[in-house]
Amino acid sequence: MAARLRPKTNLTLPIAGAVAVLAATIGLLFHFYPRGTGRWSQVTIATATTGGTYYLLGGQLARILERLPGEPIDGVQAVQSHGSRENVRLLIDSAANVALVMRPALVEAVRENPAVAQGLRVLARLYTDVVQIVVRKDAAIAAVSDLRRKRIYVGTAGSGTRMLAARILAAIGLSEGDYAPDDAASHNEAADRLNDGTLDAAFFASGTPTEAVQRALGSGEVELLSLDRATRERLTEGDGELGLSEAEIPTNHYHNQPDAVQTVGADVLLACRTDLPEDLAFVILEALFDNIGDLQLAHPNAQDIKLTRAFDLSDELLHRGAKEFREHQRSALLIATGAINGKYYGIGKTIRSLLQERGIAARVMQTDGSLENAELLSTRPTIAIMQYDAALASRFGEPRFVYRVDLPDWTGLPQVRNIRRIAVLHEEQVHVIIRREKLASVEALLREKHSGSAGTVTTLTELADAQRQLSPSQARLRMSLGPRRSAARIVAQAILEHHRIDMSSITPSFLSVPDMVNRLHTGEIDGAFFVSYVPGEAMKTILNDGKIRLLSLGQKERAPMTATVFASSRIDPGTYLSQKEGEPAIQTLATQAVLVTTEDLPFDVAQIAEAIFDGEAFLGVVDRESMARDLPSLPLHPDAKRYYREAGYLPSKPPVDWLTPTWRSLAILVILISGYKGLIKFRRDGTANAIGRRVLAVPLEAGVPDSNERLKEIRDEIQRRVRRRWWRPGELDKPRWRSLRDLIDDRIREAKINMTTALLEKIRAVRVDAELDEVMRREQYQAVERQIHEQFEHDELDSLQHDMLRELVHEHLQQDE
């Protein structure tokens, strides 16, 4: 995080021009590094009980703040509490100065004592807590009204869960004497009591997915209960001042959850005391939005913490530092990308570094994908990475012209008529992924139906034919079509329509990329659609598993889409480890990832294009010529076009004849100087590109040894090659050195995140393995802890990740005891 500088006011320089230059420089520094410097003694963050989202996110935020560069905060502590209502009291009593609080709890506290409003403020809106009612299947609870005389966990005393549970039960006419409240000390304990039958029902108000709900549903003995429409309306309309809204838990969001669940939700706020120093508030918010990836390691709900809606609250409610941070971000360029740790997000971070080298303030924001990015283009100054097909459909507002099919649901694709292209980044291919065991089951049913004469299923066309021959129950597929606001979802729907696959034979889900990857591995879904760079990191994670199979698209079915923006493509044998020897190449479709903006963007797009071209080696694209090539119907931004023409990537206008010998001499001199500079630039570009490709070639998978060591060796090498004197042109100049260094640091960080994710999966596997007894489970946890220590010793984990993983192992050990 950048240091915060206060500009000096006593400036006396004899030359007016120097004053102007110095003032502009200080103003630029002020823009990038907000006012004030400081050091603070203590930050205490109130969280909630174990098994809930607050506990995980609050603890991770504490670790992030504790390890900020320069250690501006002397001590950071995350304290466990009973939840939102107690957290409000902790803030009022000065026992905490920051807390995660459900909005209804804050509203209720202010209503009970208006003086409270003077002492509390909000730093940011984070995400939505969803009320999840879990009931035992054998408890005869078909509706919320059936909870009368049941044993119910309504949350711990002082929690937001208890407050919302009381509201819901009151809305259906139940008071505390009409049911038996349970005294479980945490969400996890309540989940265990549901599974062993000592509880009939439990309320959990938390971000989804909730660990305790996963824990309960995993047994198969419980299910989620929907709230009826009348109850939802009473809660959201009649008592709307609490900030409740209708919410849905989509189909297959949890294991053993076949149907969508209708419920209500409430905003989660990062609250603080009014007297929290303004500069400290700014520091906390910068740390929050710069470390979404680390927060997501603790809980997937961090993906929903979005800069664009974090401050959609009244000015009276926002803290002064939050308002300053909001204004500072409004003047920055937003880079809309994709899921955290995906390729779009990685490219966005690299582009941000390239732009900041040129003095352009930018902020990267994670999104679901192209559809959400199109929305952002219409609302604030944004450059966005999108699929070419989605960008074109957004420009014309007629998706059927691009995808060659009429679909019943095109919602989520806003029209952006003034969308313009800055660069083409890379090719992306459609991946249709199916678990081999599902294909084997379908093939066995076909052989049984046709007395052994049916062949194998290797294409989506053959799978569609099989579905038409089998009964719906036999052929039903649990398929993820991609994140809800991604272009992959529309591509998947169009492909299914062209292959004449009846949507009634599909159990669709719209999952985030990490969720899709996890559920494919566990078998909770049968298949998924991805539109991805080949070979992307997510694809390698999935397709290096021999239990997964890629399916080709039918030639006839591909044809309508290749008539527009898609191209026929193939994934060669051996690209992924799951492609077994003898299996043919995969015939599929390809599109392009493009960097786009709007024509009226209030930033210098030519400068943006130049920064991106200079950093071409760090973006993983093929070459500069490919970035500037023409794409039908999606015109270049005029400023980008001007830059490409001046750089020689587009035809130039004919030169004007020189008028006098003097002009000719000056032209020759300019050409010689430019040629010399061009040669140096060409040499440095070549060196930077070569090193950049070496960096990108280092694999980052958790099982690859010494990847970080190889990256550090390259970092030492570029240090030796940087230019150190103006009269001695070096192989690299400082901007390219910094970009390479930042790329290497990002790759090292990504490798550590991959290792952390792999270790988290190991911890989770031990946690959910029902066959392990107490001794064996402890031994497994200790083995994982040893591996965590070994990876930390080899610098494959940083101290934040090491501490988080060890704390998680110890927490599970204590819970088991």
Side-chain angles (χ1 to χ4, degrees):
M1 183 189 62
R4 311 183 64 206
L5 306 178
R6 186 185 300 277
K8 297 180 181 178
T9 54
N10 277 352
L11 297 177
T12 56
L13 290 176
I15 303 172
V19 172
V21 171
L22 185 57
T25 303
I26 292 175
L28 189 62
L29 286 172
F30 182 82
H31 182 70
F32 287 122
Y33 303 95
R35 293 183 297 104
T37 60
R39 188 169 187 88
W40 300 276
S41 59
Q42 180 71 32
V43 171
T44 301
I45 304 173
T47 63
T49 63
T50 58
T53 312
Y54 294 9
Y55 179 78
L56 297 171
L57 286 180
Q60 187 74 327
L61 179 60
R63 296 182 194 101
I64 290 167
L65 293 175
E66 196 171 27
R67 292 167 172 80
L68 287 177
E71 298 182 352
I73 305 171
D74 287 338
V76 185
Q77 180 184 17
V79 295
Q80 188 175 336
S81 75
H82 289 296
S84 292
R85 297 175 79 180
E86 184 180 355
N87 287 354
V88 171
R89 287 197 296 272
L90 290 172
L91 289 173
I92 294 170
D93 296 340
S94 300
N97 43 13
V98 177
L100 284 88
V101 174
M102 194 185 296
R103 184 171 183 173
L106 190 63
V107 171
E108 184 181 75
V110 172
R111 183 189 300 161
E112 291 174 355
N113 182 5
V116 167
Q118 303 304 314
L120 301 180
R121 289 293 182 269
V122 175
L123 289 173
R125 174 194 176 277
L126 300 181
Y127 60 91
T128 300
D129 258 350
V130 177
V131 176
Q132 302 158 84
I133 308 173
V134 185
V135 299
R136 282 193 63 83
K137 293 178 180 178
D138 57 10
I141 303 173
V144 68
S145 56
D146 296 329
L147 292 175
R148 187 181 297 273
R149 290 187 295 277
K150 302 295 184 183
R151 298 164 298 175
I152 308 173
Y153 169 72
V154 290
T156 56
S159 68
T161 294
R162 174 164 288 198
M163 184 185 70
L164 290 185
R167 289 277 177 178
I168 293 169
L169 293 168
I172 61 170
L174 297 182
S175 59
E176 191 165 321
D178 297 321
Y179 59 89
D182 186 77
D183 62 353
S186 69
H187 282 4
N188 279 341
E189 186 177 341
D192 292 338
R193 294 187 183 186
L194 275 169
N195 288 336
D196 65 24
T198 56
L199 265 181
D200 298 314
F203 283 76
F204 302 96
S206 184
T208 59
T210 302
E211 179 190 345
V213 176
Q214 286 176 323
R215 188 168 178 160
L217 289 171
S219 69
E221 302 295 326
V222 302
E223 60 188 352
L224 281 165
L225 182 69
S226 281
L227 289 173
D228 60 89
R229 176 174 294 279
T231 302
R232 298 199 307 271
E233 288 177 353
R234 279 196 295 273
L235 291 165
T236 57
E237 294 175 9
D239 204 10
E241 72 273 12
L242 283 182
L244 296 179
S245 58
E246 294 209 24
E248 179 182 89
I249 304 172
T251 304
N252 294 319
H253 191 69
Y254 289 107
H255 185 49
N256 293 328
Q257 184 226 325
D259 301 313
V261 175
Q262 306 305 318
T263 181
V264 294
D267 287 345
V268 174
L269 309 174
L270 188 63
C272 66
R273 291 180 51 78
T274 305
D275 57 11
L276 187 77
E278 186 175 334
D279 288 344
L280 177 55
F282 202 108
V283 165
I284 292 172
L285 288 170
E286 273 201 329
L288 176 75
F289 288 104
D290 281 345
N291 293 279
I292 298 292
D294 285 337
L295 286 168
Q296 195 185 26
L297 286 173
H299 195 279
N301 262 89
Q303 174 83 12
D304 295 330
I305 302 174
K306 299 291 178 66
L307 185 69
T308 49
R309 57 174 182 254
F311 307 107
D312 290 344
L313 300 162
S314 67
D315 276 3
E316 292 77 14
L317 197 57
L318 283 175
H319 187 276
R320 298 183 309 278
K323 286 187 275 191
E324 180 191 345
F325 185 84
R326 179 186 62 187
E327 295 308 310
H328 181 68
Q329 299 311 311
R330 282 176 176 172
S331 64
L333 176 65
L334 187 69
I335 305 174
T337 60
I340 292 172
N341 299 328
K343 188 168 183 65
Y344 284 14
Y345 189 73
I347 290 174
K349 290 196 299 181
T350 303
I351 290 175
R352 181 192 184 192
S353 297
L354 296 170
L355 296 181
Q356 287 183 329
E357 289 286 344
R358 285 164 172 76
I360 300 175
R363 173 75 68 178
V364 178
M365 193 178 95
Q366 77 284 2
T367 68
D368 268 1
S370 295
L371 306 193
E372 186 176 354
N373 293 354
E375 293 173 12
L376 292 170
L377 287 171
S378 303
T379 57
R380 60 166 292 167
T382 301
I383 60 175
I385 305 172
M386 296 179 66
Q387 286 177 209
Y388 173 43
D389 53 287
L392 202 57
S394 178
R395 183 186 179 211
F396 291 112
E398 292 289 348
R400 67 177 181 274
F401 293 153
V402 173
Y403 300 100
R404 311 300 294 174
V405 67
D406 277 315
L407 294 178
D409 179 18
W410 288 114
T411 57
L413 185 60
Q415 187 170 21
V416 188
R417 289 195 181 277
N418 64 343
I419 189 171
R420 296 294 182 264
R421 176 166 50 91
I422 298 175
V424 180
L425 298 177
H426 57 264
E427 183 178 82
E428 297 193 314
Q429 292 173 296
V430 176
H431 294 64
V432 183
I433 297 170
I434 301 288
R435 286 182 62 85
R436 288 182 183 270
E437 62 188 26
K438 182 62 179 180
L439 288 180
S441 171
V442 171
E443 290 167 351
L445 289 168
L446 285 175
R447 285 193 295 272
E448 183 179 335
K449 184 177 180 68
H450 297 286
S451 302
S453 61
T456 58
V457 177
T458 61
T459 70
L460 193 59
T461 304
E462 293 168 348
L463 183 59
D465 290 340
Q467 283 194 306
R468 286 188 284 272
Q469 296 178 54
L470 301 173
S471 68
S473 61
Q474 291 175 320
R476 179 168 296 280
L477 290 171
R478 299 168 299 169
M479 294 285 290
S480 173
L481 306 187
R484 190 173 293 276
R485 289 189 289 174
S486 71
R489 171 180 70 86
I490 295 182
V491 172
Q493 289 178 273
I495 288 172
L496 290 172
E497 189 73 17
H498 283 301
H499 283 77
R500 295 184 298 117
I501 293 179
D502 189 348
M503 286 302 291
S504 65
S505 66
I506 299 286
T507 301
S509 56
F510 304 98
L511 304 173
S512 67
V513 172
D515 234 1
M516 281 193 282
V517 172
N518 183 50
R519 296 190 187 201
L520 276 169
H521 281 314
T522 60
E524 294 175 52
I525 57 175
D526 301 315
F529 284 82
F530 287 86
V531 181
S532 172
Y533 174 79
V534 176
E537 293 300 322
M539 291 297 93
K540 285 191 286 187
T541 301
I542 298 169
L543 291 167
N544 287 348
D545 183 349
K547 297 177 182 178
I548 303 295
R549 174 79 187 260
L550 275 171
L551 291 184
S552 287
L553 304 180
Q555 182 176 359
K556 181 178 70 175
E557 291 80 7
R558 295 198 312 269
M561 295 176 73
T562 57
T564 53
V565 301
F566 290 91
S568 288
S569 184
R570 57 181 271 158
I571 300 173
D572 292 326
T575 303
Y576 300 106
L577 295 180
S578 66
Q579 294 174 276
K580 296 184 178 179
E581 188 174 351
E583 291 181 345
I586 301 301
Q587 305 301 321
T588 186
L589 294 168
T591 183
Q592 306 288 333
V594 292
L595 183 67
V596 296
T597 189
T598 52
E599 192 165 7
D600 56 356
L601 184 75
F603 285 83
D604 187 343
V605 177
Q607 192 177 14
I608 293 172
E610 181 179 8
I612 291 167
F613 263 55
D614 285 347
E616 163 255 333
F618 315 122
L619 296 173
V621 299
V622 178
D623 52 49
R624 294 183 178 183
E625 286 76 8
S626 69
M627 294 176 73
R629 72 178 180 272
D630 183 47
L631 291 178
S633 305
L634 187 61
L636 280 166
H637 189 284
D639 290 347
K641 191 171 186 178
R642 171 169 53 84
Y643 167 73
Y644 292 150
R645 182 172 286 121
E646 292 172 355
Y649 296 107
L650 292 175
S652 301
K653 297 178 181 179
V656 179
D657 293 335
W658 303 113
L659 299 178
T660 65
T662 302
W663 281 108
R664 291 193 190 98
S665 301
L666 287 173
I668 292 170
L669 181 62
V670 168
I671 290 169
L672 288 174
I673 293 172
S674 300
Y676 174 70
K677 289 184 175 180
L679 287 172
I680 294 175
K681 186 174 185 294
F682 180 78
R683 176 193 180 197
R684 289 174 179 158
D685 284 347
T687 301
N689 291 348
I691 295 174
R693 290 194 173 93
R694 282 172 56 199
V695 172
L696 293 172
V698 175
L700 305 182
E701 291 86 349
V704 177
D706 301 326
S707 57
N708 283 355
E709 192 62 36
R710 290 161 63 185
L711 289 168
K712 289 174 185 176
E713 289 174 1
I714 299 175
R715 187 168 61 189
D716 292 340
E717 177 186 337
I718 65 173
Q719 180 69 34
R720 295 192 297 271
R721 294 191 179 205
V722 71
R723 179 188 65 180
R724 299 189 183 280
R725 298 289 186 273
W726 68 268
W727 63 84
R728 190 185 70 191
E731 294 179 88
L732 292 171
D733 59 5
K734 287 188 177 179
R736 290 171 178 80
W737 166 68
R738 291 192 190 99
S739 295
L740 282 167
R741 181 196 60 194
D742 291 345
L743 174 66
I744 292 169
D745 289 344
D746 280 347
R747 298 282 288 177
I748 290 173
R749 183 174 176 272
E750 187 174 346
K752 290 181 177 181
I753 288 174
N754 289 344
M755 177 61 70
T756 304
T757 303
L759 291 168
L760 282 170
E761 284 300 315
K762 287 190 175 185
I763 295 170
R764 179 180 180 276
V766 175
R767 183 70 177 166
V768 301
D769 192 342
E771 297 180 1
L772 296 176
D773 60 25
E774 184 177 345
V775 174
M776 294 172 65
R777 195 183 304 278
R778 173 173 288 277
E779 290 175 352
Q780 293 279 359
Y781 278 136
Q782 289 171 344
V784 174
E785 186 174 15
R786 285 194 296 273
Q787 187 176 359
I788 292 168
H789 183 69
E790 289 170 4
Q791 297 300 339
F792 177 65
E793 290 293 315
H794 288 89
D795 201 28
E796 300 293 332
L797 294 171
D798 62 27
S799 57
L800 172 64
Q801 295 158 341
H802 169 264
D803 292 351
M804 182 196 76
L805 290 167
R806 288 197 64 199
E807 286 176 19
L808 189 60
V809 170
H810 290 169
E811 178 187 324
H812 287 335
L813 281 170
Q814 291 170 2
Q815 289 172 2
D816 288 343
E817 290 173 355

